[in-house]
Each structure stands twice: as structure tokens, then as C-alpha cells.
Amino acid sequence: MKKITFLIFIMSSVLGFAQQVVIQDFDTPATYTFAGFEGLGSATIEADPVSGGTRLNGLRLVSVSTGNPWQGAEVIQSATSAKYKLTTDKTMKVDVYATQAFTMLAKVEVGGPNSAASQSYTTPNQWQTLTFNFTQALDGTTVANGIYEKVVFFPNWKATNDGFGTPANFTVHVDNVTSENGVTPPIAAPTTAAPTPPNRPAADVKSIFSNAYAPVAVLGYAGSDNDNTYDTTWCGATTTLVSIEGNDTNRITGLGCEGIAFLAGRFDAAGFTRLHIDIWTATPTQDKSFNFKFSNWNGTTGETNAYEYSATNANVLTSGSEGTWIPIDIPFSALNCINTPPGNACPSVSDFAQFVITSDLGTVYYDNLYLHKNTLGVSSFETSKIKMYPNPATTNFTIEAQEAVEKVAVYNMLGQEVISQNTNSQQVTIDITTLQVGIYVVKATINGAVSTSRIIKE
């Protein structure tokens, strides 16, 4: 009887603890993406470096003395892949092979607070399993608590755990990244696309991201390019291009901080009077903030001053606005000039090179990020043989065309869509009784082509 009781106790103990499994073994390319950064010699997928070794593929990092001390490589799990669960058990095991002894810092990001831990490799030219305990909270991070998508490896960490050491020339192989298996819940997403911006003259817009306007530069999402990207490595969040109702939209996960760099399209912002961005989040906006800044380099190789704004419940980030598109269209004068010597006038806006977002909203979608001059390009209805009457109007107006009008949209002077009506008739009447007195832009879609005019509401 005692033996049976003891056996049940053992089985209960085993079942009471979740098992660690290999989350990433680098043998299935569809399960991950990877990139080196900050001067790492290279990051590649290579076979087992041991002659006759039975391992398949692993991640190979080449540390070089000419790179930054914090050079490294990141590995991001794909959307459908297993994730690193570091909630109760906050340890991760990693098989490492290197050509010399060294100390490696591992950092987990996206899915929980950033957290870093270190371990020393002591067996040159042999495989060694390192166990990282993410209660260490090194490099200015905190204790891990979440289901993580990204792990980052830094090969030049000091054994004293007080920072990065002098970079050296050596090679590191990483394989079999192991932790508890976490399943990331689906990321909430908008079901409708962001409002379509109004027709503005091309010369009156400096667009960072929008399908409606040509961008100042073609930007990518690769972590290895910090000059022209929507996803810089010097911020911990991750930006991904997604499609919402066929419209390109950027999704940021892990905010935090995200940087956009457009050095190939640095521009002079003089004369641009307003900033616009549409954002969407499922996170409750009560007591939250969405902050951003333009970084001005003033013809140098780095920031000399910046212009920032904090969207909160006190201004445009209305409490309870989660789950809807939040249009932010503010005067450029509302941005505060920072990093300027006390008593000096704010420097010019001649060389904008970066846009930085910081927020505690976790996951944010954004679209239509641009500066503009608050002007509207008007394609006359007459050129498209479209009639609109009466104008001015008080309660409604009518559009007549020679072909069926598929859609009518009305925008206020902030570029916000206030009426959207799908139609299929050559004569359409639009009710505007709820609109305030003012000037509005009317867009009519016929055979996929959009014609624009203005109407006055009295």
C-alpha cells in the first residue's frame, strides 16, 4: 500500500508542473525569421559545426571587433508557431557552441515586459546547454511574465553583468531554444479599414505611411536596416504590415517604443501646418497615452532637436475609444519642441529623418501618417459629368450622374469621414441634417473612379 501511495505522489508531482519543450530548433524555416544587427559580422542558418555531428540546422552568429558592443541577432517566431511561455517557469535553455569562452545575454521581447538574463559558455569547441533565468532582469529590463514571440542573443555581455564588453572576433552557434510552450491568443484587429484621406495636392503632403499618398521614401520592415524601416531595432516593439479590408495597415505589437526611420526621404517640414495619423487599439484607453515625435537632424548624422506630442484622455485619445479608429489631426504648433538649449528659439524643421512612437497601449494599428497643409485638391464634378445640388444645402443634397454612383463619402475639413453611404443609383440623395454648419468634401465613386467636390452646409 505504501508503494502505491508513493507512486501516486510521484505522478501527481510530475503532472503538476508543465514540461519544457524545444520551441525553436531552426530546422523549419516557416516557423521563424531572424536578423543580425548593430554591426554583427553575420547571422546565418548553418549545419552542425561539429564534424560528424547529428544536429541539423542552427543559428550562427559571427561577432566582430569592428561592430558595436551590443551587436547581436534576433529570432522571431511566426504567427502560427509555438511561443516562449515564461510565466511560472521563467527559465529558457539554449544549446550553444562557440570557438571561445564568453558570456551571452539573452533578451525576450513582444508578448510581455522585456526581460534579459545571462549565462557563461565555458567549453570552447563543444556544445553546452545554457539555462537563462529571466528573473535576473538585466540591462534595464524587468522580470519576465508573458508568452514571448522574440528572443535576442548578444554575444559580448560582461560576465560581471554590468554591461556590454569590448567586442571580439569569434563565432557562436545557437540551437534548441527550449521553454514551456505558450500559445499566444489571437491579436485583436479592426474589422474596417481606416478612413480614406481626402484628395490633397501632392505638393501639400509629406506622407510616411498611407495608400492615399506617395511616401517620402520606400521603407521596409527588416530589423537589419535602421535607416529606412518601419521597424527599427533600437526600439523593442515589432511592426508588421497587415491588410484590413484590402488596405495596407501597420500593426505594432509590444509597445513600448517603436521607431520609423526614413533617411532616404529626409525632408523639410517648413510650411506644413498639420499632422495626421489614424490609430486603432483594443486596449482600454482610460488613463493611457499615445506619444510620438519627429526627430530633426538639422543636416547632421543624428538628432539635434525634436517635436513631440502626447495624446491622452485630456485631448484626442478619448476614454472609451478603444475598438474604433481614432483620427488624430492636430496643428503642428501643438507639438512641443524639445532637446533645445534653454532660452533658445526652437530650431528649424528643415531635416526630419525619424518618427518615434511610445505608448502603453500594447498593440496599436496605424494608417495615414502624414504632414499636410490643410488644403484639398478638388477634381470638379463637372469634368466627370456629375451634378450636385443644392449647394449650399441645409438638410440634404442630391448627386446625379450618367452612370450608377457606387459610393458617396463626406469629409470634414480635418479629413475625417462623417458620412459614408454605399449606393447603386444614378441619382443619390444624402441627408446632412446632423452635420454642423461648414464646408465639406464630397467624394463620389463611379466605376471605381473617385471624383471630388465641395459642398457648403448652411
Side-chain angles (χ1 to χ4, degrees):
M1 183 66 182
K2 290 182 180 180
K3 292 182 179 180
I4 295 175
T5 303
F6 183 66
L7 179 61
I8 293 173
F9 173 77
I10 293 175
M11 292 177 64
S12 299
S13 298
V14 171
L15 294 174
F17 293 93
Q19 300 296 307
Q20 290 203 350
V21 297
V22 176
I23 304 297
Q24 187 52 256
D25 61 7
F26 302 99
D27 294 328
T28 309
T31 63
Y32 65 93
T33 59
F34 70 97
F37 55 82
E38 295 293 348
L40 186 77
S42 64
T44 54
I45 302 299
E46 304 286 347
D48 190 338
V50 176
S51 178
T54 58
R55 296 171 182 267
L56 299 177
N57 292 328
L59 176 66
R60 178 177 181 263
L61 293 72
V62 178
S63 172
V64 291
S65 60
T66 55
N68 287 318
W70 47 89
Q71 63 187 280
E74 62 181 22
V75 181
I76 304 173
Q77 296 295 99
S78 65
T80 57
S81 298
K83 307 297 188 295
Y84 308 101
K85 183 180 180 181
L86 302 172
T87 52
T88 303
D89 183 352
K90 301 181 188 295
T91 62
M92 172 186 289
K93 295 179 180 179
V94 182
D95 292 347
V96 175
Y97 176 102
T99 55
Q100 68 175 52
F102 75 104
T103 299
M104 184 161 71
L105 183 76
K107 182 182 291 187
V108 288
E109 301 176 349
V110 187
N114 290 355
S115 186
S118 75
Q119 271 290 292
S120 293
Y121 172 84
T122 59
T123 60
N125 301 309
Q126 297 181 41
W127 283 102
Q128 180 180 343
T129 299
L130 305 183
T131 299
F132 295 89
N133 190 327
F134 288 97
T135 62
Q136 284 185 279
L138 299 176
D139 195 31
T141 64
T142 189
V143 175
N145 188 28
I147 298 174
Y148 292 86
E149 299 178 19
K150 180 194 293 189
V151 58
V152 189
F153 299 108
F154 301 88
N156 290 294
W157 186 251
K158 291 182 180 179
T160 50
N161 283 335
D162 56 352
F164 293 95
T166 302
N169 297 317
F170 64 102
T171 300
V172 176
H173 294 260
V174 173
D175 198 7
N176 295 336
V177 187
T178 302
S179 74
E180 286 189 23
N181 188 358
V183 178
T184 303
I187 300 174
T191 57
T192 59
T196 302
N199 181 27
R200 302 185 187 275
D204 292 350
V205 176
K206 291 294 185 182
S207 177
I208 310 301
F209 181 83
S210 177
N211 279 0
Y213 310 115
V216 295
V218 177
L219 308 183
Y221 296 83
S224 58
D225 183 359
N226 274 323
D227 292 338
N228 298 286
T229 180
Y230 293 109
D231 188 22
T232 60
T233 61
W234 37 263
C235 275
T238 299
T239 296
T240 307
L241 180 66
V242 298
S243 179
I244 307 295
E245 287 193 319
N247 186 64
D248 288 341
T249 306
N250 272 346
R251 181 185 68 202
I252 310 175
T253 54
L255 275 173
C257 167
E258 181 59 297
I260 305 171
F262 42 92
L263 270 63
R266 295 160 71 158
F267 64 87
D268 186 346
F272 290 87
T273 59
R274 301 189 72 87
L275 178 144
H276 185 96
I277 182 173
D278 296 309
I279 68 171
W280 188 98
T281 181
T283 304
T285 54
Q286 177 67 41
D287 298 327
K288 299 291 186 179
S289 65
F290 182 80
N291 317 296
F292 49 82
K293 76 170 185 177
F294 271 109
S295 177
N296 185 51
W297 288 23
N298 203 26
T300 67
T301 58
E303 181 177 299
T304 59
N305 67 285
Y307 293 83
E308 68 172 3
Y309 183 83
S310 181
T312 67
N313 297 162
N315 44 56
V316 297
L317 190 65
T318 308
S319 176
S321 56
E322 62 272 5
T324 64
W325 280 103
I326 306 168
I328 300 175
D329 194 284
I330 56 176
F332 188 83
S333 58
L335 278 69
N336 297 315
C337 182
I338 61 173
N339 298 340
T340 302
N344 286 14
C346 209
S348 72
V349 293
S350 62
D351 189 19
F352 282 2
Q354 293 175 342
F355 187 84
V356 183
I357 297 170
T358 58
S359 179
D360 53 1
L361 288 170
T363 296
V364 171
Y365 295 77
Y366 74 85
D367 196 0
N368 305 320
L369 169 56
Y370 60 90
L371 288 174
H372 65 96
K373 296 182 178 180
N374 205 27
T375 55
L376 295 172
V378 179
S379 301
S380 173
F381 272 18
E382 284 76 11
T383 60
S384 302
K385 298 181 180 180
I386 299 173
K387 296 179 181 180
M388 182 174 66
Y389 59 87
N391 191 7
T394 55
T395 59
N396 56 66
F397 67 87
T398 298
I399 293 176
E400 288 186 2
Q402 295 181 351
E403 298 180 75
V405 179
E406 301 160 5
K407 180 180 179 180
V408 176
V410 180
Y411 298 84
N412 62 22
M413 296 306 289
L414 295 179
Q416 299 167 343
E417 187 178 69
V418 294
I419 294 176
S420 179
Q421 186 171 324
N422 292 322
T423 59
N424 189 25
S425 175
Q426 292 175 259
Q427 180 173 306
V428 179
T429 299
I430 304 297
D431 184 355
I432 57 172
T433 54
T434 60
L435 299 184
Q436 296 180 353
V437 171
I439 300 175
Y440 293 86
V441 175
V442 180
K443 288 188 175 184
T445 303
I446 300 175
N447 289 330
V450 179
S451 297
T452 309
S453 189
R454 298 190 189 193
I455 192 166
I456 300 173
K457 164 67 186 293
E458 291 185 335

